[in-house]
Amino acid sequence: MKNLIVNSLDRKESYKTGTIGSQTIKGSIYSYLGIIIGFFSVTVLRSHGLGPEENGILDLILSFTMILAQLGSLGFFNASIRCFPYFRDETKNHNGFMFLLLAIPFVGLLLFTLLFYLGKSVLPVESNFTTLFQDYTPVILALTLGTVLFNALDTFNRTALLDAVTGSTLKEFVQKLTVAIAMGLMLYFTLPFPLFLWIWVLANLIPTVWIFIKLYRKKVFNLKPDFAFLNPEMVKMLSSVSLFAVLTGFTTMIIQYIDKIMINEMINTSLTGIYSITAFFGTVVLMPSRIMYRIGGIIIAEKWKVHDIDGIKSVYKKSCINQLLIAMLIFIGIWANIDNVFEMIPKEYEAGKYVILFISLSGLIEMATGFNGVIIATSKYYKYDTYFFLALIFITIATNYIFIPIWGITGSAMATALATLLFNFFRYLFLVIKFKMQPMGLNNLFILMIGLFTLFIIGYLPKQSFFVWDIILRSGIITLVYVSSIYVLKLAPEMNTIIDKYKTKLLS
């Protein structure tokens, strides 16, 4: 049976490679377009159209929505990446997989919605959360339902149909565009904040409707269950993987949003808004990895199925150096233009200057360590990733409690960077010990050094009178020095191959 699977995958390998390459390019294009739209939305629309407190409320609603949606899924979306290869059978509608994708989260969402309502009644009157939940519960629940439905349909689309581009495009581009339009409507018509929130919710739900229509038109939207396929062994595997996946997913959401929640409770909602707006600039460093993780998780799961350890090692090594290459360029680009950032947003947000630095640093660390989390989560040791995440929650909450009273919102960003460093260090050690996977080399170190050197020399460039010209000039010099240095030294073979390919086309 194993040889049959190996031979089948080998026959499809060239097709898959082409698919991955094509989807990566397409997904990256839409991701970067989404970054541009998101950048415009934050710098022009959100920062100028909403006050710090309203921005804080918006991000808190989103934070609780993401946490509730993750809990409601009962871990099945995350588990499906590892388990779907056993369901795959187009002639049998993938053995009722879509039914499970919708039914399990529906039950989970009902359960946690009930707990959500019960939790509201026990909140202390003086808590900042009490007002938030009293005024915005319908908004949170509507957005949560739409998010869960989108995640279910997108999971089927990228696992069963091997289409990682559609979901990424809808989430990274279409959703950002519709949200930006909603923000523009609010500014143009000066809508009251409560009315704007519902328009914002509708804008966020458009990708859900879009992906449903696509699957329906492809005639793959089939809710027929296949209970016969769910033998005791399969149920045991799904239950075990889902249990740890829900813990991992929940801890991921907590880690991603705990900083805003703790700032709101320990300081105030206005500083939460300032933190949210400035942190966005830092998260730009991490954005290019999203399409790579979506595609990489599916392929690595398939490689685990046939025990292709060498293939996984190769993907891991390439992910580390290529993600570092991109992340370092974005990191130095952001920090070299930090003064220009505050030319674009109101002066009151300058309190978040070093929030940008530490959140950017956190993204750089996450990118530089590659697919470590994906590899562990899709391996037989997937439970250990849950343990790492639980430890990370403790570290994140503890460091926030220590740092926020001392350094305010900057302290929260510092806590995020420190927790990210420790988390990825222990993931790295785990893969070295268990699988002898050591993806780092001198090339990684040299890329890091070139990036820091580029950042150092750009600091001596005189500031231009008009900040837009200053951004263009600094970014152009950074790109030229950084990319040409890495190209000449041949530190990133894939980048050299791409550049040489375009050089040949231009010269021919």
Side-chain angles (χ1 to χ4, degrees), residues 231-433:
N231 57 50
E233 184 180 357
M234 180 61 67
V235 171
K236 181 180 178 181
M237 181 183 72
L238 288 174
S239 301
S240 177
V241 176
S242 294
L243 172 62
F244 283 89
V246 73
L247 291 172
T248 301
F250 174 64
T251 52
T252 302
M253 293 297 104
I254 289 290
I255 292 157
Q256 188 174 351
Y257 298 109
I258 192 66
D259 46 4
K260 297 166 188 174
I261 293 171
M262 292 182 70
I263 290 169
N264 178 67
E265 194 64 13
M266 295 178 70
I267 310 178
N268 58 51
T269 307
S270 292
L271 279 173
T272 305
I274 291 174
Y275 181 90
S276 299
I277 293 296
T278 51
F280 167 82
F281 294 95
T283 59
V284 169
V285 174
L286 196 56
M287 286 180 181
S289 69
R290 293 178 181 176
I291 183 65
M292 298 175 72
Y293 286 145
R294 292 168 66 87
I295 299 171
I298 300 167
I299 302 307
I300 290 172
E302 295 279 3
K303 289 184 180 295
W304 275 123
K305 185 179 176 181
V306 296
H307 307 289
D308 183 8
I309 303 298
D310 289 337
I312 294 171
K313 286 181 179 179
S314 175
V315 172
Y316 185 24
K317 185 174 182 179
K318 289 178 181 178
S319 72
C320 286
I321 198 161
N322 291 331
Q323 290 192 173
L324 172 63
L325 175 72
I326 297 169
M328 195 67 198
L329 177 61
I330 299 173
F331 175 79
I332 57 181
I334 289 172
W335 194 245
N337 286 290
I338 190 64
D339 291 332
N340 292 320
V341 168
F342 293 103
E343 293 283 348
M344 296 181 282
I345 59 178
K347 293 295 182 183
E348 58 194 316
Y349 289 94
E350 286 186 2
K353 178 178 180 178
Y354 288 97
V355 169
I356 297 176
L357 173 63
F358 287 107
I359 297 298
S360 297
L361 186 59
S362 174
L364 177 61
I365 294 167
E366 184 73 31
M367 287 277 280
T369 49
F371 286 170
N372 55 14
V374 174
I375 293 171
I376 297 172
T378 53
S379 75
K380 64 181 180 179
Y381 295 107
Y382 62 88
K383 295 179 182 179
Y384 285 86
D385 206 38
T386 301
Y387 303 147
F388 289 142
F389 271 109
L390 291 173
L392 182 58
I393 281 186
F394 173 79
I395 294 171
T396 303
I397 293 175
T399 49
N400 268 282
Y401 265 118
I402 294 169
F403 292 171
I404 288 176
I406 302 172
W407 294 295
I409 58 176
T410 299
S412 185
M414 291 169 63
T416 298
L418 177 60
T420 302
L421 176 63
L422 293 173
F423 179 58
N424 282 284
F425 175 70
F426 286 111
R427 272 177 161 180
Y428 163 81
L429 283 182
F430 182 84
L431 289 174
V432 170
I433 294 169

Side-chain angles (χ1 to χ4, degrees), residues 203-220:
N204 274 280
L205 297 182
I206 286 175
T208 305
V209 178
W210 193 314
I211 198 167
F212 168 77
I213 293 172
K214 177 183 177 177
L215 293 177
Y216 184 80
R217 285 181 173 175
K218 280 182 169 284
K219 298 181 179 179
V220 294

Side-chain angles (χ1 to χ4, degrees), residues 16-26 295:
K16 277 181 166 183
T17 302
T19 300
I20 294 168
S22 174
Q23 290 194 39
T24 300
I25 293 170
K26 291 178 182 177
I295 299 171

